[in-house]
Amino acid sequence: MFFSLFGRFFKGATILSGAYVLGMFGFSPSWILVIVFLWLVHKKKLRDKDIRVSFNQDAVTDEKGAILARLEDLPPWVFFPDMEQVEWLNTIIQQLWPYIGHFVEGVLREKVEPAIRANLPTNLQSFKFEKVILGDMPFRIGGVRVYHENTAEDEIIMDVEILYSGDCRFSLRIKGLKAGIKDVQLHGMIRIEMKPLVRQVPLVGGLSFYFLKPPAINFDLTNFTNILDTPGLSNILHKIIVEQLSSVMVLPNKITLSLTESVPLHLLKFLPPAGVLQVEVLEAKQLMASDLGFGSTDPYVIVIVGSQEFRTPVITNDINPVWNHQCEAIVNQVEGLTLDVEVMDEDKTSRDDFLGRTSIKISSVTMAGRINAWYPLEEAKSGWIHLEIAWLTLTDNINHLETIMHQRKSDFSSSLLMLFIDSAKNLPDASQATGEPNPQLKLKIAKYVRYTSVRPKTNNPVWEENFSFLLKNPHSHKLRLEILKYKVPPTDIATESTNRTIKKTTENTIARGNEAQVSDNEQVTSILQLNDSMNSSLEVP
């Protein structure tokens, strides 16, 4: 008892002495409060992360036990999805995990590492993976759902819930500096499409997989990157990683494989979308007042469909804002996809405050055709948002274009241009000193500027990437293609400016001009001669 009282007295005396010393040097007591507050926030963040990591790791080895141990912490509305459990598959993954680790390490060193180097400035070309260790804890499949309705006869569609909270460790070196990532956690739903079904082995012509929405990702940083593991910088780094993942395999982006020679890869990638979702964010009411002392808020709305994200302007000092903001998204899949709407409060001095969200199944919009309704904001004390949502299907009748252009609202589009970039051949070297280029294709039409990925050190790059553009008036737009040598800044290798009519089956896909006239219901396959280059060509199936 004596030692306990003495320890408490000594701790209190130390704090008071420290405060007295800071006062002698002119430091305001408010600085002490700020430091203590930041320390408490950081400790809470670390404690929450440790609890989350511990629970996820326990769930990998004993899912039922981990859930039952925390059942009292779960709210009463929590329920398990109606998905089939596949413990037999998790057992197989456990057995294969050491071999998967060797395979992943080979892919990172032989393919990912050179691709990253090609995208880095010259002074950072020393990038190298030093260690790639997947650890002993594999990812887990939480459940599988196979769709029996609203699917074609020649396809199989399934959703797979992926959970990973393992002991993997990655370390890399760049310009003498070491960085690393550990305690990676990932949770998301992967959609797998097997189509078309064919009559010869392997019975499936192609395989596509992608996330319906960005997965939840968390990780810890090691070595010199520890300085980034603070709330502000860590959020920025996390956002960059999620954006890069979304650009690869969050809908409408997919990873697609051809499993048989009878089904070319471009036929699997170059598919018309299910339709276009037009969203008008009209207004909101009774929003929470998050600005302390002012009783108001500066709201804006984020609209999310897969990896496509749109943002309204900010309305200052208003809990009943009116936006009348229009946006539209290309929808490749309807089943399982949602329209997510988040209302935020802009704060210029700190992180923006969350004011609520709502989620709408796109399948409900396709059934209704058009919805004009008020939606209550979830995870908020109060608030409603007024949305008008329309579902548009595609048509291949070119005669409908003029009517659609006159009937559409001002900020909405009338047509869709789909473009598949296959490859380029015989590109010139940018200079004799640098040798083979790192080519990248730039596409520009209307307000859009898009880039393909960089293909390192080749004069004959193969991209096999598709792009889609929503256009208001296809008669007035010109498509410009430029092949660049990737460096900082990129330099032109060759350019092609095309002014032509393009027509894609099931859609009025047009970019009007005089180079070629294509009849309705015909897919264009072109090999374009590039300007500023004697013998180079670009193939666009």
Side-chain angles (χ1 to χ4, degrees):
M1 176 67 71
F2 172 76
F3 289 105
S4 175
L5 290 174
F6 180 77
R8 291 169 62 184
F9 171 78
F10 181 76
K11 184 183 294 185
T14 302
I15 294 174
L16 290 174
S17 300
Y20 177 77
V21 171
L22 289 175
M24 287 180 59
F25 288 96
F27 287 93
S28 170
S30 61
W31 284 104
I32 301 175
L33 296 177
V34 170
I35 293 172
V36 171
F37 174 75
L38 291 176
W39 179 78
L40 291 173
V41 169
H42 184 64
K43 290 291 290 183
K44 184 179 185 302
K45 178 180 178 239
L46 291 178
R47 184 170 63 253
D48 292 344
K49 182 182 290 185
D50 290 341
I51 293 173
R52 185 172 61 250
V53 170
S54 176
F55 171 74
N56 290 336
Q57 290 179 348
D58 291 343
V60 170
T61 55
D62 184 10
E63 184 180 40
K64 183 178 179 180
I67 292 175
L68 291 175
R70 296 189 60 187
L71 189 59
E72 60 183 13
D73 297 329
L74 298 177
W77 49 263
V78 173
F79 61 95
F80 293 100
D82 184 18
M83 302 182 73
E84 298 181 16
Q85 300 299 303
V86 284
E87 291 304 317
W88 61 271
L89 188 54
N90 288 319
T91 302
I92 293 175
I93 294 173
Q94 178 75 47
Q95 293 283 95
L96 291 175
W97 192 243
Y99 304 94
I100 294 174
H102 290 295
F103 171 75
V104 170
E105 182 177 3
V107 170
L108 289 176
R109 295 190 185 280
E110 297 171 13
K111 295 185 177 181
V112 176
E113 188 175 293
I116 292 176
R117 282 203 200 103
N119 284 272
L120 290 175
T122 305
N123 61 338
L124 298 179
Q125 292 291 317
S126 60
F127 174 89
K128 180 183 179 181
F129 284 110
E130 285 211 329
K131 288 184 180 179
V132 179
I133 302 174
L134 287 192
D136 301 322
M137 303 176 68
F139 69 87
R140 179 179 179 80
I141 296 179
V144 176
R145 177 190 292 116
V146 180
Y147 288 89
H148 304 286
E149 300 177 353
N150 301 319
T151 59
E153 294 182 354
D154 65 340
E155 67 179 6
I156 298 174
I157 298 177
M158 64 175 68
D159 290 340
V160 180
E161 183 186 23
I162 300 293
L163 303 102
Y164 179 72
S165 182
D167 53 350
C168 70
R169 298 186 301 279
F170 299 91
S171 63
L172 55 93
R173 182 179 293 274
I174 184 167
K175 288 187 71 68
L177 298 175
K178 277 186 77 172
I181 297 178
K182 67 175 184 177
D183 292 337
V184 177
Q185 300 172 72
L186 183 146
H187 180 206
M189 189 74 70
I190 289 184
R191 169 72 54 86
I192 299 177
E193 298 178 352
M194 292 179 282
K195 65 178 182 182
L197 303 182
V198 295
R199 297 182 182 275
Q200 65 268 24
V201 176
L203 303 180
V204 177
L207 184 67
S208 299
F209 52 95
Y210 51 87
F211 287 101
L212 291 172
K213 58 177 65 178
I217 300 176
N218 286 290
F219 51 85
D220 285 336
L221 302 172
T222 62
N223 300 321
F224 87 94
T225 50
N226 273 329
I227 62 175
L228 296 176
D229 203 9
T230 57
L233 295 176
S234 179
N235 290 337
I236 295 173
L237 182 61
H238 178 271
K239 183 178 180 181
I240 292 173
I241 292 176
V242 172
E243 287 178 350
Q244 292 300 311
L245 177 63
S246 297
S247 67
V248 175
M249 58 177 305
V250 176
L251 200 66
N253 304 303
K254 306 178 182 180
I255 294 179
T256 304
L257 304 173
S258 176
L259 303 182
T260 176
E261 294 181 356
S262 62
V263 181
L265 184 61
H266 78 269
L267 292 182
L268 298 174
K269 289 189 171 184
F270 197 51
L271 297 173
V276 175
L277 194 69
Q278 294 184 338
V279 181
E280 190 166 2
V281 183
L282 299 172
E283 56 186 326
K285 63 181 180 180
Q286 302 173 13
L287 296 180
M288 293 188 301
S290 60
D291 293 340
L292 296 178
F294 296 97
S296 188
T297 187
D298 303 322
Y300 65 91
V301 177
I302 300 175
V303 178
I304 304 170
V305 180
S307 65
Q308 302 169 84
E309 186 173 304
F310 311 92
R311 176 172 165 166
T312 70
V314 177
I315 306 297
T316 58
N317 196 28
D318 196 343
I319 61 173
N320 299 296
V322 177
W323 290 284
N324 291 324
H325 182 78
Q326 298 171 342
C327 57
E328 51 193 345
I330 299 171
V331 178
N332 293 81
Q333 283 286 338
V334 173
E335 289 297 327
L337 193 64
T338 58
L339 167 67
D340 298 315
V341 179
E342 298 181 356
V343 183
M344 305 292 293
D345 168 43
E346 185 183 53
D347 195 331
K348 296 181 179 179
T349 59
S350 63
R351 188 176 180 181
D352 292 353
D353 296 320
F354 175 75
L355 299 179
R357 68 163 52 93
T358 188
S359 184
I360 303 160
K361 291 183 178 180
I362 293 181
S363 58
S364 65
V365 183
T366 62
M367 295 175 61
R370 181 179 295 272
I371 296 176
N372 188 321
W374 285 91
Y375 294 92
L377 294 178
E378 301 171 358
E379 302 176 41
K381 294 180 179 178
S382 63
W384 294 74
I385 187 164
H386 187 190
L387 303 173
E388 184 172 355
I389 313 168
W391 173 253
L392 303 180
T393 55
L394 310 180
T395 176
D396 58 0
N397 190 337
I398 196 67
N399 297 322
H400 294 165
L401 179 59
E402 296 299 329
T403 302
I404 293 172
M405 288 178 59
H406 285 92
Q407 292 179 348
R408 68 180 178 86
K409 293 186 177 181
S410 59
D411 287 338
F412 287 140
S413 302
S414 65
S415 55
L416 174 70
L417 170 65
M418 295 179 62
L419 192 65
F420 183 86
I421 304 298
D422 184 86
S423 59
K425 295 188 295 184
N426 303 322
L427 295 180
D429 294 334
S431 68
Q432 294 182 353
T434 57
E436 293 179 319
N438 300 321
Q440 179 184 42
L441 183 67
K442 175 182 177 181
L443 305 93
K444 186 175 182 179
I445 185 171
K447 63 180 180 181
Y448 304 102
V449 178
R450 298 286 187 268
Y451 295 88
T452 65
S453 56
V454 178
R455 291 293 178 256
K457 296 182 179 180
T458 179
N459 296 90
N460 302 289
V462 177
W463 289 289
E464 295 180 330
E465 298 179 19
N466 59 318
F467 298 86
S468 298
F469 306 96
L470 287 166
L471 304 176
K472 295 180 182 179
N473 184 359
H475 297 305
S476 62
H477 296 308
K478 186 177 182 180
L479 174 65
R480 181 176 176 82
L481 306 175
E482 298 179 58
I483 299 182
L484 311 174
K485 176 188 176 184
Y486 187 87
K487 66 177 187 178
V488 183
T491 57
D492 291 350
I493 296 178
T495 64
E496 167 64 22
S497 179
T498 178
N499 191 13
R500 41 186 261 147
T501 298
I502 300 177
K503 187 72 184 62
K504 176 69 179 69
T505 304
T506 74
E507 175 56 71
N508 47 331
T509 302
I510 309 156
R512 182 176 177 272
N514 51 26
E515 182 176 312
Q517 281 298 124
V518 183
S519 61
D520 291 351
N521 300 321
E522 182 178 347
Q523 181 173 324
V524 180
T525 301
S526 302
I527 298 180
L528 307 177
Q529 179 69 36
L530 299 176
N531 301 332
D532 309 323
S533 177
M534 294 295 292
N535 300 309
S536 301
S537 61
L538 173 70
E539 185 166 352
V540 187

